[in-house]
Amino acid sequence: MGNRNSVASPASGQTRGSANPGSPAALDASKLSSTLAKTLKPLQPIETLRFGQTFSDHMIVATYDPELGWSAPEVKPYGPITLDPQCSCFQYGGNVFEGMKAYLGPDGKARLFRPDMNMRRMEKSCARLALPPIDGDVVLELIKHLVNVEKRWIPKESGYSLYIRPTVIATRPGLGVTASDHAMLYILASPTGPYFARPVSLLAVSENVRAWPGGTGGHKVAGNYSPGFLPQRAAAEKGYDQILWLFGDDRRVTEAGAMNFFVVVKRDDEDGVDLITAPLDGTILPGVTRASCLALAGDPEFHQEISMRLHPQEMVYTMSDLAKWSSEGKLLEALAIGTAVIVGPCNRIGFEGKDIVIPGDGMGPVGTAIRKKILDIQEGRTEWKGWGVVCA
């Protein structure tokens, strides 16, 4: 990639990728051009990094027009974007995004973790919001290029990474309540460290819900997040770090904050432990780390490696189940799972004025083993089923 020949559109003044006559141009990574920053930002000490607060020198931007299609993508210095205030992203929330990380391996190569899953999810999220179609495989090529351009921003220390945020926003000008036939793709990069410094506490909430059947809970869309800010603030005022979202009259356990949620439960037959999470019923985000935890938990090779037998279970379970398992001494671990946190321990769950206390002072053996394995794959210390993808 780099500076390439491209076709200019006289009508818009924008550079467009080639297209078949009469059809909008598809997003084309071979048309990528670069305008690099003249002065690079200084790298800051890793101990000062906070999630999503520091950004690298460059970003990638491309736009979609219903007649012309996708513009030629451009690497450009990180900075503000200019949009009409009537754009539908502001008015009706037509915005989707992904969260990914690039890690630096011992061989000096930058790696992404199962990025194909993020791209398939982004395609589905765009389709759910009736945004212009986008080819995730092309987006992935752009991401790899940006990672290589910004490689100096990837911390070398274990547990640190370059967080990648590809975003698609609806840019149709006008206040009409209709799907956007204009869009913008932009990709940002942000160095980051461990998400939680200690085990997190959860407040179980049923009066507000994160998602509902037939809604968008199973897609990574911006509108899923802001309605949770007020309940989150209320939980913090009561001394809890995050929300444990419940759903329905039976108070089914769904997710924790913006993360998937797992529990480790001792089996009655004493044949290892169950690793339990809610099923993908349309209200649960199909997280990449979630899928990876379930895959590892069901893999005999991983069982042999860690000398533990795990049984992955995707099943409906309720707060009553959690309370029962806790009272019987079967609730061994509670885990928050996601791209940012990877695997993080939860130490207590507040519900109806009482706390369910999770045993131990930190991460238990199951969470520790899964987190170590995933981090070893992400950071290139081990190869596992093609999950680590080098940004070549």
Side-chain angles (χ1 to χ4, degrees):
M1 297 183 198
N3 291 303
R4 304 275 183 141
N5 293 329
S6 51
V7 179
S9 166
S12 66
Q14 293 184 347
T15 301
R16 299 283 167 180
S18 59
N20 295 326
S23 64
L27 187 64
D28 187 348
S30 74
K31 301 296 182 182
L32 181 66
S33 65
S34 296
T35 304
L36 299 181
K38 295 180 179 179
T39 303
L40 301 182
K41 305 174 187 176
L43 300 180
Q44 65 185 76
I46 62 168
E47 61 271 15
T48 66
L49 294 176
R50 299 293 180 269
F51 181 79
Q53 294 186 18
T54 301
F55 289 87
S56 67
D57 298 291
H58 302 92
M59 60 185 184
I60 289 181
V61 179
T63 59
Y64 184 88
D65 176 278
E67 293 183 2
L68 299 170
W70 283 102
S71 69
E74 180 187 5
V75 176
K76 60 194 303 184
Y78 177 89
I81 57 177
T82 300
L83 292 172
D84 193 306
Q86 62 182 307
C87 279
S88 50
C89 60
F90 302 130
Q91 305 300 326
Y92 304 117
N95 309 320
V96 311
F97 64 91
E98 278 298 322
M100 311 164 66
K101 286 180 176 178
Y103 295 82
L104 202 60
D107 56 3
K109 296 178 181 179
R111 285 172 171 81
L112 298 168
F113 182 69
R114 307 188 77 180
D116 56 309
M117 296 188 69
N118 294 94
M119 295 301 95
R120 301 292 83 78
R121 189 170 65 184
M122 171 172 266
E123 291 169 345
K124 291 177 181 178
S125 296
C126 285
R128 179 63 180 84
L129 296 193
L131 286 165
I134 193 164
D135 186 336
D137 292 333
V138 179
V139 176
L140 180 54
E141 289 304 308
L142 298 175
I143 289 170
K144 290 178 179 179
H145 184 85
L146 182 64
V147 168
N148 283 322
V149 169
E150 303 293 57
K151 191 174 177 180
R152 75 185 188 97
W153 285 92
I154 308 177
K156 297 179 176 64
E157 291 78 6
S158 180
Y160 291 77
S161 60
L162 186 64
Y163 182 81
I164 311 297
R165 175 59 70 90
T167 305
V168 180
I169 60 175
T171 55
R172 177 185 178 273
L175 301 182
V177 184
T178 188
S180 179
D181 55 1
H182 292 68
M184 175 183 287
L185 164 71
Y186 59 86
I187 307 170
L188 310 179
S190 173
T192 189
Y195 195 65
F196 293 126
R198 56 178 175 77
V200 297
S201 57
L202 306 174
L203 178 64
V205 169
S206 58
E207 58 270 24
N208 300 112
V209 296
R210 191 199 77 87
W212 53 92
T216 59
H219 300 84
K220 203 163 181 68
V221 304
N224 289 345
Y225 292 83
S226 54
F229 295 160
L230 183 60
Q232 170 65 42
R233 180 186 294 171
E237 290 172 351
K238 295 178 181 179
Y240 295 89
D241 299 312
Q242 295 283 333
I243 294 287
L244 181 63
W245 298 105
L246 309 180
F247 185 80
D249 294 337
D250 55 353
R251 292 166 174 169
R252 281 166 275 164
V253 176
T254 63
E255 298 195 336
M259 301 166 286
N260 294 125
F261 181 71
F262 284 66
V263 289
V264 178
V265 179
K266 183 179 179 181
R267 291 170 60 92
D268 291 332
D269 62 8
E270 299 185 354
D271 179 28
V273 297
D274 287 328
L275 182 68
I276 300 173
T277 194
L280 297 180
D281 60 359
T283 68
I284 304 296
L285 185 71
V288 176
T289 313
R290 174 190 183 276
S292 303
C293 290
L294 289 170
L296 287 172
D299 193 314
E301 184 180 344
F302 181 62
H303 296 174
Q304 186 175 8
E305 187 178 305
I306 64 174
S307 301
M308 281 190 279
R309 184 162 169 77
L310 310 179
H311 299 267
Q313 307 283 353
E314 295 179 82
M315 56 179 272
V316 172
Y317 65 107
T318 66
M319 277 305 301
S320 295
D321 292 323
L322 284 184
K324 180 174 181 292
W325 292 330
S326 177
S327 67
E328 294 173 348
K330 296 179 180 178
L331 182 60
L332 305 179
E333 300 179 42
L335 304 169
I337 306 291
T339 297
V341 67
I342 308 176
V343 178
C346 306
N347 59 4
R348 63 188 177 104
I349 302 170
F351 182 61
E352 295 183 338
K354 298 180 180 178
D355 277 351
I356 295 174
V357 178
I358 312 301
D361 297 325
M363 192 94 78
V366 174
T368 297
I370 292 176
R371 186 182 190 279
K372 180 181 183 303
K373 184 65 175 181
I374 290 177
L375 201 57
D376 282 347
I377 299 167
Q378 291 174 332
E379 296 182 345
R381 287 186 293 273
T382 186
E383 296 290 334
W384 187 270
K385 306 183 188 303
W387 287 7
V389 177
V390 173
C391 294

